[in-house]
Amino acid sequence: VIGVSEFQDKKMNLNFAAKDAQDIITLFKSNTALYNHVYIHSFINTTATKSAILSVKQQLMQSKPDDLV
């Protein structure tokens, strides 16, 4: 889940992107009836770097056809 509200250029800042990302994480974690195993990688504000996001690429490449990604 990626949510960036704070940017180097303050004029680009958003009000709810980081909060919405956190809300999605909460939804997935709480809805165990639909999602048996939830593996969450969250990138919020300063942790949403290109290298951090690309670091999970290998794990995503191992997903199977019936996986929800």
Side-chain angles (χ1 to χ4, degrees), residues 11-31:
K11 294 182 287 186
M12 301 295 291
N13 284 357
L14 301 171
N15 293 325
F16 303 108
K19 180 207 170 295
D20 289 348
Q22 287 296 124
D23 290 346
I24 291 290
I25 291 168
T26 301
L27 174 72
F28 286 147
K29 284 183 175 180
S30 66
N31 201 340

Side-chain angles (χ1 to χ4, degrees), residues 38-58:
V38 178
Y39 304 96
I40 295 177
H41 298 280
S42 63
F43 305 98
I44 309 296
N45 290 323
T46 58
T47 63
T49 63
K50 180 179 179 179
S51 61
I53 294 166
L54 289 176
S55 72
V56 299
K57 180 179 179 181
Q58 189 61 33

